[in-house]
Amino acid sequence: MTEVAARVARPMRAARRWGSRMPPTLWDSLLPALLLLHIVTTRVPHELPVALAFTAALTLPLVWRRRAPLTVFGVVTASAFAQWLTGIQLPADAALLVALYTVAAHSSRRGTLVAGAIVEFGALLACLRWATEGAFLAPFVAVTATVVAAAVLGVNVRTTRAYLGAVQERAARLEREQDQQARLAVAEERTRIAREMHDIVTHNLSVMVALTDAAVHAQHRAPHRATTAMLRSSETGRQALTDMRRSLGILRTDEPDAERHPPPDIGQLETLADQMCAAGLPTRVELRGGHTHIPASAQLTVYRLVQEALTNTLKHTPAGTHAKVRVRCSAQTVTVDVTDSGPCPPLPSSPPSGHGIPGMRERAAAYRGELRAGPLPGGGWQVHTCLDFGSGEVASA
């Protein structure tokens, strides 16, 4: 049975594929051609001209029914009314049902109701004139059911077409939104990489410059100190390369340590302070509260904020400046204070074009924090923010 069904289904599928390739106008021409052929072969010669003329008037407009459904319906209705006036019965009256179906499938609900009422009125006139005496109700009910079926079928086709159109539009809209989200994700990733590169390069280059200057000054008086400074500078450079590869996702196979190296966190602030001390900026870290429960991304944000603040202090303050880092961790927040004892720099005449403080503000805003950076009343500079990582999802950075 399965083989028989498969053999029957194959030609049916082939016929459907062949039929789908035919133009709609050719399909719409089949009914007029068949009805005209029927009239030519069944009517007696003296009735043929009138029957042929009315059949052509009723059926030939159906060829253009998809392009102008209302116009075609009006022409077919007028032809049917003229046929009723002459008292000729024709099989071509089925064209009224086809025209009604086309109006229901392509027009509004109001147009469908008006067209259905017109065809129903025509059915009433036809039954009053041509129904046999005493048998009016049965043919009228049958014709009415046919009219309703044609209208309902057209409405269903229109509804299905509208639903499929809405589904396709929604799919296209979702595809556009996905493309936009992908572009936004790429832009956000580029922004994140730019911030990371700025923090890494600015901090490590500043430390390397300071260490190199110290080595130059100490090379004659204390060669061992110069050697130590150059070794620290070399180590800082390697660390910068490792951080850059990690941020860019380009991990070389000949440096497996870059893959194992975790992103910096709050626990590495002491190491950062030691690095700043070696570069000539005495730095003290005060950490209150445990930080193990804080998400890794929030700890990285704290580290980058402190790193950027200390780098700015190293670059813009004279020798002898001291810095202090205070980090207070609670159940849902982290408060960061970085202060230094250097003189207040003069206010710039135009907004800075770099990524320093603006980048810090963006990092803080990702955790609903407002960063404040400015001079202290008694001298020095302060960077303060409070990061909230426990009240909901992190805002997009």
Side-chain angles (χ1 to χ4, degrees):
M1 291 296 293
T2 305
E3 295 180 359
V4 174
R7 284 197 296 268
V8 173
R10 276 196 293 270
M12 293 179 63
R13 286 196 297 268
R16 282 198 297 268
R17 287 195 299 269
W18 176 79
S20 63
R21 288 194 291 266
M22 293 179 60
T25 305
L26 183 59
W27 283 110
D28 294 337
S29 303
L30 291 179
L31 180 62
L34 292 175
L35 290 174
L36 288 171
L37 180 62
H38 176 267
I39 290 297
V40 170
T41 56
T42 58
R43 291 287 174 169
V44 295
H46 69 275
E47 296 180 353
L48 183 59
V50 177
L52 193 61
F54 276 115
T55 300
L58 286 168
T59 59
L60 288 181
L62 297 180
V63 177
W64 298 276
R65 66 187 181 89
R66 300 175 194 266
R67 301 179 185 176
L70 292 177
T71 302
V72 170
F73 178 79
V75 173
V76 173
T77 303
S79 302
F81 184 67
Q83 173 208 347
W84 180 82
L85 291 176
T86 57
I88 300 176
Q89 287 184 279
L90 293 171
D93 290 334
L96 280 169
L97 299 176
V98 178
L100 174 61
Y101 160 81
T102 306
V103 170
H106 294 87
S107 300
S108 63
R109 181 179 300 179
R110 179 179 298 179
T112 302
L113 291 176
V114 173
I118 292 174
V119 176
E120 181 64 17
F121 181 70
L124 176 63
L125 293 179
C127 290
L128 288 175
R129 184 159 192 171
W130 289 309
T132 58
E133 187 175 354
F136 167 80
L137 185 60
F140 178 71
V141 171
V143 173
T144 299
T146 307
V147 171
V148 172
V152 170
L153 183 60
V155 170
N156 287 340
V157 169
R158 186 183 71 222
T159 303
T160 303
R161 188 184 298 117
Y163 172 75
L164 293 177
V167 170
Q168 292 175 354
E169 181 182 357
R170 183 171 180 269
R173 186 174 65 252
L174 289 176
E175 185 176 357
R176 290 193 300 270
E177 291 177 355
Q178 289 176 355
D179 291 340
Q180 293 174 355
Q181 292 294 332
R183 287 194 293 269
L184 288 175
V186 170
E188 290 177 0
E189 182 65 12
R190 289 178 177 174
T191 302
R192 183 194 68 80
I193 292 175
R195 283 198 302 265
E196 291 292 325
M197 291 302 99
H198 170 269
D199 292 346
I200 293 169
V201 172
T202 302
H203 168 74
N204 289 287
L205 282 181
S206 299
V207 172
M208 291 171 68
V209 168
L211 290 172
T212 304
D213 289 342
V216 170
H217 288 296
Q219 62 178 338
H220 299 297
R221 292 175 297 177
H224 65 283
R225 293 181 61 185
T227 302
T228 302
M230 294 307 297
L231 290 175
R232 282 184 174 272
S233 178
S234 177
E235 181 183 353
T236 302
R238 292 193 189 93
Q239 181 63 38
L241 290 175
T242 299
D243 291 343
M244 289 174 66
R245 292 190 184 104
R246 184 195 312 113
S247 298
L248 293 173
I250 307 174
L251 300 176
R252 295 174 53 180
T253 57
D254 58 345
E255 295 189 45
D257 183 63
E259 226 172 49
R260 296 194 300 267
H261 199 287
D265 55 15
I266 294 176
Q268 297 184 29
L269 291 178
E270 291 287 352
T271 304
L272 177 63
D274 294 340
Q275 190 181 43
M276 300 308 295
C277 291
L281 176 64
T283 304
R284 183 163 59 91
V285 175
E286 179 183 320
L287 179 60
R288 296 182 182 177
H291 62 273
T292 56
H293 66 286
I294 300 175
S297 57
Q299 296 199 43
L300 175 61
T301 298
V302 173
Y303 183 90
R304 293 301 186 204
L305 290 175
V306 174
Q307 183 186 55
E308 179 64 25
L310 293 177
T311 302
N312 290 339
T313 300
L314 179 65
K315 290 194 300 182
H316 300 299
T317 58
T321 301
H322 292 72
K324 182 177 181 179
V325 178
R326 290 189 297 271
V327 178
R328 295 187 296 275
C329 304
S330 65
Q332 296 184 344
T333 61
V334 180
T335 303
V336 180
D337 280 291
V338 181
T339 57
D340 63 62
S341 60
C344 297
L347 295 177
S349 58
S350 61
S353 59
H355 295 279
I357 293 180
M360 295 167 70
R361 286 200 173 98
E362 289 182 11
R363 288 184 182 275
Y367 289 90
R368 294 166 292 276
E370 182 179 354
L371 185 132
R372 297 195 303 269
L376 293 171
W381 190 269
Q382 181 187 40
V383 174
H384 170 83
T385 188
C386 181
L387 309 182
D388 183 359
F389 58 86
S391 61
E393 294 186 357
V394 177
S396 175

